[in-house]
């Protein structure tokens, strides 16, 4: 049995099956966090792309407005 710390003031004993479940859960959570981080990066990139597209449109409108004067 392994002694595991459940929180700052309590300890409990877990057998190897419990430790494996906890380990798998931590691995799953880590994978989920990695996936979410990748999605956030993709959304940030897309946001920058959209801002760039909008800036190009605004510049285009200003150039066209100056030409039409």
């Amino acid at each position: 049995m392994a002694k595991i710390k459940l929180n700052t003031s309590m300890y409990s004993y877990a057998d190897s099956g419990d430790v494996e479940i906890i380990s798998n859960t931590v691995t799953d959570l880590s994978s989920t966090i990695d996936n979410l981080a990748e999605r956030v990066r993709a959304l940030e990139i897309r946001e920058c792309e959209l801002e760039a597209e909008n800036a190009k449109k605004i510049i285009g409108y200003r150039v066209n407005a100056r030409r039409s004067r």
Side-chain angles (χ1 to χ4, degrees), residues 1-4 12-16 19:
M1 284 201 171
K3 186 176 180 183
I4 59 170
S12 181
Y13 288 92
D15 63 22
S16 62
V19 171

Side-chain angles (χ1 to χ4, degrees), residues 33-67:
I33 290 168
D34 290 344
N35 290 338
L36 288 171
E38 185 59 37
R39 289 171 129 179
V40 167
R41 283 191 289 276
L43 288 171
E44 289 171 341
I45 290 168
R46 183 62 185 138
E47 180 182 23
C48 290
E49 291 170 348
L50 290 172
E51 287 175 0
E53 289 173 19
N54 287 335
K56 286 179 188 176
K57 288 178 186 176
I58 290 169
I59 291 168
Y61 297 146
R62 289 181 181 169
V63 168
N64 289 335
R66 286 185 182 158
R67 287 182 184 162

Side-chain angles (χ1 to χ4, degrees), residues 4-18:
I4 59 170
K5 189 170 187 175
L6 297 177
N7 61 36
T8 56
S9 64
M10 185 172 66
Y11 285 89
S12 181
Y13 288 92
D15 63 22
S16 62
D18 293 333

